[in-house]
Amino acid sequence: MNSIATSVVNIFKNKFSAEPNIYYSPGRINLIGEHIDYNDGYVMPAAIDKGVYYAIAANGTDTINFFAADFNESLSITLKEVTKSDSWKNYVLSVVNEFVLLGKTVNGFDCVFGGDIPRGSGMSSSAAVEGGLAYALNDIFNYGMNRVELALLCQRAEHNYPGVNCGIMDMYASINGKRDHVILLDCKNITHEYFPLKLDGYKIVLLNTKVHHTLASGEYNVRRKRCEAGMVVLKKELNIQSFREIKSAADVELHKDKMAPEVYNCCKFVVEEIARTQKAAALLQQNDVKAFGQLMYAGHEGLSKLYDVSCPQSDFLVALAKDNDNVIGARQMGGGFGGCTINIIKDEAIDDFIATTTAAYQKEFDILLEAYVMQLSNGTEKISA
Ligand code: GLA
């Protein structure tokens, strides 16, 4: 067990004088396919070696006791009192609520959790929190739900109390990850394939802008509404049911005058990004990492100019990457408005790239950049009982 897991377990033993079950629930990266999980697209995420650890045990009462180690905050309530709250509490309580809505019998439990995913960084700390608790409760109370059902439950949980109308990508990737593999997730049919990630001499590095995207969660829902508004027009005009059926952005352009400009831009991006992700999956299987990287740059351009979810800090970091021959692909990752950029960098150039980028970023924005070299991990799992 690593030091975070050990600390979570020690806190649990001190607070509750019992032996917990221990679970790991990872964050995720996304190589390509942004904002298309809720538009019937394909996305290419992977679970990572940063995540949330849970120590948890049934307590034989009707009370649930949480301790959020990263916030140094507790919450004790009876099961009858579970309702919408705020901050971290919304994520855990919403998961409990979803089990109740399914008619599952939730009994009292004690729970300590904490992790190392920087919050608001676009690595899905919220999905890791939700998925870890859902997986643990399914295990200790024997609900018999499978991983896909748990991911869908977590998505509903995120829609419900926190109020973010997210797609399925984050929770699916967190729960279904596989070490050293990326997931090609079909978000329409909710099925996936794994690909081994072979980057031959390159690594994935995240650069954290430290601009916290959580502040802009309202904007996420706005983007979703724009796509829905566009779909109303496109369904009628193109006789299709889903963005996936649209052959090219030229078909969307034919109906540009029937949509608000920002709605048109979002629809154009979605159609292009769905095509990019399918192409990217083929390139990855052919080990053509360089061509894959070019698609990442093109994706960022669309996120910034069409979908309008970037920010000056992310644009700055991607521009620096693009100017550097050792970085073969980069783009803003996740919901947007900051968070991390994801970069594919030649092994021997990583240290130098991080150093020069950190200095330039500090000079431009007076913010100290953080960089993480990523490893791909298994999805949510029990570490020990
Ligand atoms: C957030 C959401 C995901 C997805 C991404 C953008 O992470 O939770 O469902 O839409 O943004 O790709």
Side-chain angles (χ1 to χ4, degrees):
M1 280 203 300
N2 74 7
S3 60
I4 306 170
T6 308
S7 144
V8 161
V9 170
N10 288 340
I11 298 172
F12 185 97
K13 287 181 179 166
N14 282 334
K15 283 192 173 296
F16 303 115
S17 309
E19 285 296 325
N21 300 288
I22 309 157
Y23 303 87
Y24 174 64
S25 177
R28 64 104 189 89
I29 55 170
N30 183 25
L31 272 91
I32 197 158
E34 220 64 89
H35 287 279
I36 53 175
D37 59 343
Y38 53 87
N39 283 314
D40 288 341
Y42 301 88
V43 294
M44 211 186 288
I48 55 173
D49 59 340
K50 285 185 185 299
V52 176
Y53 293 85
Y54 269 92
I56 185 163
N59 62 19
T61 72
D62 65 353
T63 299
I64 47 181
N65 300 306
F66 287 106
F67 182 73
D70 300 332
F71 296 85
N72 197 23
E73 282 177 20
S74 305
L75 170 69
S76 288
I77 54 169
T78 64
L79 284 154
K80 282 202 196 91
E81 291 168 327
V82 169
T83 184
K84 191 170 169 169
S85 176
D86 57 17
S87 68
W88 61 268
K89 301 181 189 95
N90 257 343
Y91 298 96
V92 288
L93 292 177
S94 203
V95 168
V96 173
N97 180 51
E98 289 302 326
F99 281 114
V100 173
L101 290 177
L102 282 182
K104 306 284 181 195
T105 307
V106 184
N107 296 313
F109 60 89
D110 301 325
C111 169
V112 176
F113 67 99
D116 60 354
I117 306 176
R119 274 186 298 282
S121 64
M123 281 186 252
S124 280
S125 54
S126 60
V129 167
E130 290 155 350
L133 182 61
Y135 189 94
L137 295 181
N138 185 53
D139 188 41
I140 63 174
F141 295 131
N142 294 312
Y143 297 140
M145 290 171 66
N146 65 34
R147 286 175 185 264
V148 175
E149 290 167 335
L150 292 174
L152 289 165
L153 178 143
C154 291
Q155 185 192 19
R156 294 195 297 276
E158 177 100 19
H159 290 187
N160 206 341
Y161 291 180
V164 179
N165 291 326
C166 65
I168 187 66
M169 170 169 77
D170 301 352
M171 23 300 273
Y172 198 98
S174 173
I175 292 181
N176 290 292
K178 182 169 170 183
R179 184 165 294 121
D180 299 328
H181 286 70
V182 295
I183 300 169
L184 180 64
L185 170 59
D186 174 337
C187 301
K188 186 168 193 294
N189 298 311
I190 320 285
T191 53
H192 73 272
E193 285 170 65
Y194 293 113
F195 293 119
L197 187 66
K198 294 202 204 99
L199 289 179
D200 293 338
Y202 291 87
K203 283 205 169 72
I204 295 177
V205 179
L206 300 191
L207 298 178
N208 189 348
T209 60
K210 304 262 194 79
V211 178
H212 294 307
H213 80 129
T214 36
L215 298 175
S217 60
E219 285 295 314
Y220 182 94
N221 292 348
V222 168
R223 295 304 174 282
R224 201 169 169 159
K225 284 230 161 355
R226 284 182 192 165
C227 296
E228 284 164 10
M231 239 311 117
V232 171
V233 174
L234 296 169
K235 267 186 181 165
K236 191 164 140 238
E237 301 295 337
L238 299 175
N239 192 25
I240 44 107
Q241 290 307 313
S242 151
F243 275 110
R244 181 178 290 201
E245 295 164 46
I246 302 176
K247 292 197 185 61
S248 89
D251 291 344
V252 179
E253 198 180 353
L254 291 174
H255 305 285
K256 188 174 178 177
D257 59 340
K258 301 177 191 86
M259 301 175 210
E262 62 278 10
V263 169
Y264 167 72
N265 284 344
C266 282
C267 293
K268 180 170 165 25
F269 169 80
V270 166
V271 171
E272 289 176 349
E273 184 78 349
I274 291 176
R276 255 194 300 273
T277 305
Q278 286 174 287
K279 200 165 161 197
L283 290 170
L284 203 61
Q285 281 170 297
Q286 295 153 17
N287 292 333
D288 192 344
V289 191
K290 287 205 170 140
F292 183 91
Q294 287 305 313
L295 295 180
M296 292 172 76
Y297 284 126
H300 183 79
E301 192 70 11
L303 287 167
S304 181
K305 306 262 164 56
L306 293 174
Y307 218 70
D308 195 20
V309 289
S310 188
C311 63
Q313 290 83 352
S314 296
D315 288 345
F316 180 84
L317 291 178
V318 172
L320 283 186
K322 211 169 179 178
D323 273 354
N324 189 316
D325 288 344
N326 293 315
V327 189
I328 55 170
R331 56 179 203 82
Q332 181 185 255
M333 188 184 78
F337 312 101
C340 286
T341 63
I342 175 167
N343 305 262
I344 303 188
I345 311 181
K346 204 178 242 171
D347 263 346
E348 62 267 24
I350 291 177
D351 290 347
D352 187 52
F353 179 70
I354 291 175
T356 52
T357 307
T358 303
Y361 193 70
Q362 176 95 52
K363 192 161 167 236
E364 186 76 12
F365 297 107
D366 197 18
I367 304 175
L368 182 62
L369 198 69
E370 269 176 37
Y372 325 100
V373 180
M374 302 316 296
Q375 306 286 338
L376 307 190
S377 82
N378 280 336
T380 311
E381 58 190 1
K382 190 173 200 166
I383 304 179
S384 74

